[in-house]
Amino acid sequence: MKIGVIGTGLMGLPIALKILEMGFKVIVYNRTTSKVEPLREAGATVAGTPQGLITASDCILLMLTNQEAIESVLFRSEFQSILSGKTIISMGTISPTESKNIQKEIIKAGGNYLEAPVLGSIPEAKSGKLQIMVGSTEAQFKQWFHVLQPLGEPKYIGEVGSASALKLALNQLIASLTTAFALSLNFVQGQGVDIELFMEILRKSALYAPTFDKKLQRMLEENYQNPNFPTKHLLKDTNLFLQEAKSMGLNVSSLEGVRAILEATQKLGKLDDDYSALFTTLKP
């Protein structure tokens, strides 16, 4: 079986390497060609075009940033005929509405579609410990389980749209929890409270989340380089959540405040930095 991977950035690269490691024949494509060189060296075939990759692959994993990127790859008029009989698995974070629209277009072209967004970052992708949320039919989940399993723990969520919704709900928590922690940390720091005492009490309470310790040192050092998840992607996911939640009539005023902080972080030039950079945005 030949597995294609389109998008070999921060997450796509370790995912493709892991699949290659498990003995699958892997074909890769990335718009920035330098990003596929580690995969070429590891034994993957590098496709010159998305069209070439789709034609040569049985199943195509997409690790692309957004709906626009997916549509630019799949829905050019000359690609419609080659999607017939192919299975597309979208692993990036998009909205439920976007995922359902992509599914309709792929089915119309004679292909099959699953969504499989992941929770976890580069370390989990490298170690095969991602949490993989799958939106599909149960038959599709069983059919492609063996492709996803090397990457972590595939879990069937429901029909297409349900896994995308769950992923956005989790990323909303990333944005909200990190902003709340950064605000409290700034506050106690400004009040002269010992940071380790603050953390000691927090860790023993029901308020604690492990992500606080994961981001603590970055915030204290204001070192946001080499991100596992950059600010621009969290801002994109926050906007997607707001769009869907508003259409449901939910009160999203608290998250709109978080979005404003992420936008301010972007204006500080920290778009490609780790999202914990929002700590600096909160400073006086």
Side-chain angles (χ1 to χ4, degrees):
M1 180 172 290
K2 294 178 181 177
I3 308 298
V5 179
I6 299 179
T8 59
L10 287 176
M11 289 293 285
L13 175 61
I15 282 173
L17 284 170
K18 196 69 182 172
I19 292 171
L20 194 62
E21 187 183 298
M22 297 307 294
F24 289 101
K25 291 179 180 178
V26 176
I27 307 164
V28 297
Y29 171 81
N30 196 79
R31 190 174 55 183
T32 306
T33 54
S34 60
K35 292 184 178 180
V36 299
E37 285 312 309
L39 289 159
R40 189 199 303 272
E41 292 169 10
T45 301
V46 176
T49 63
Q51 186 176 12
L53 181 144
I54 293 166
T55 302
S57 303
D58 301 300
C59 174
I60 298 96
L61 307 183
L62 304 179
M63 186 50 84
L64 297 171
T65 307
N66 52 33
Q67 179 187 13
E68 290 72 24
I70 294 171
E71 289 179 346
S72 71
V73 166
L74 295 183
F75 299 146
R76 283 186 265 175
S77 57
E78 66 269 26
F79 283 19
Q80 294 301 296
S81 61
I82 63 171
L83 286 173
S84 180
K86 305 293 182 178
T87 293
I88 308 293
I89 304 179
S90 176
M91 302 190 74
T93 304
I94 55 177
S95 75
T97 301
E98 290 171 337
S99 193
K100 290 173 186 176
N101 289 338
I102 291 166
Q103 179 193 33
K104 286 176 187 174
E105 292 300 317
I106 290 173
I107 289 174
K108 192 187 297 182
N112 302 296
Y113 175 81
L114 297 78
E115 58 181 12
V118 302
L119 189 64
S121 195
I122 297 170
E124 289 78 18
K126 287 180 176 178
S127 60
K129 294 181 179 177
L130 293 168
Q131 292 191 62
I132 306 165
M133 298 156 274
V134 182
S136 66
T137 65
E138 290 191 44
Q140 286 175 318
F141 176 72
K142 290 173 183 174
Q143 181 181 0
W144 298 105
F145 183 86
H146 70 291
V147 173
L148 297 172
Q149 189 178 31
L151 304 175
E153 183 185 355
K155 189 174 287 292
Y156 181 67
I157 306 303
E159 62 185 19
V160 167
S162 61
S164 293
L166 179 52
K167 179 64 195 305
L168 283 185
L170 293 166
N171 280 19
Q172 186 276 140
L173 282 173
I174 292 173
S176 296
L177 284 171
T178 306
T179 303
F181 175 67
L183 183 58
S184 288
L185 185 60
N186 263 306
F187 182 77
V188 296
Q189 201 174 43
Q191 293 285 343
V193 176
D194 182 82
I195 299 301
E196 191 45 49
L197 283 175
F198 165 63
M199 291 304 300
E200 181 184 331
I201 291 170
L202 178 58
R203 289 183 191 113
K204 292 178 180 178
S205 75
L207 306 172
Y208 178 70
T211 189
F212 299 160
D213 267 311
K214 286 185 178 179
K215 297 302 177 186
L216 175 63
Q217 208 55 40
R218 275 191 181 274
M219 291 178 179
L220 293 179
E221 295 174 2
E222 297 190 60
N223 174 14
Y224 311 119
Q225 302 303 305
N226 302 313
N228 288 333
F229 191 31
T231 302
K232 63 183 178 184
H233 289 166
L234 186 58
L235 177 57
K236 181 264 293 183
D237 295 348
T238 299
N239 280 324
L240 289 177
F241 182 95
L242 284 167
Q243 179 183 320
E244 292 283 328
K246 284 179 179 178
S247 72
M248 296 167 63
L250 293 173
N251 185 330
V252 293
S253 54
S254 62
L255 189 61
E256 285 175 332
V258 171
R259 175 172 62 182
I261 291 164
L262 288 168
E263 289 173 340
T265 306
Q266 174 181 297
K267 288 176 184 175
L268 288 178
K270 300 188 181 299
L271 196 67
D272 293 308
D273 288 348
D274 188 86
Y275 65 88
S276 56
L278 61 85
F279 175 80
T280 297
T281 308
L282 293 167
K283 283 184 170 292

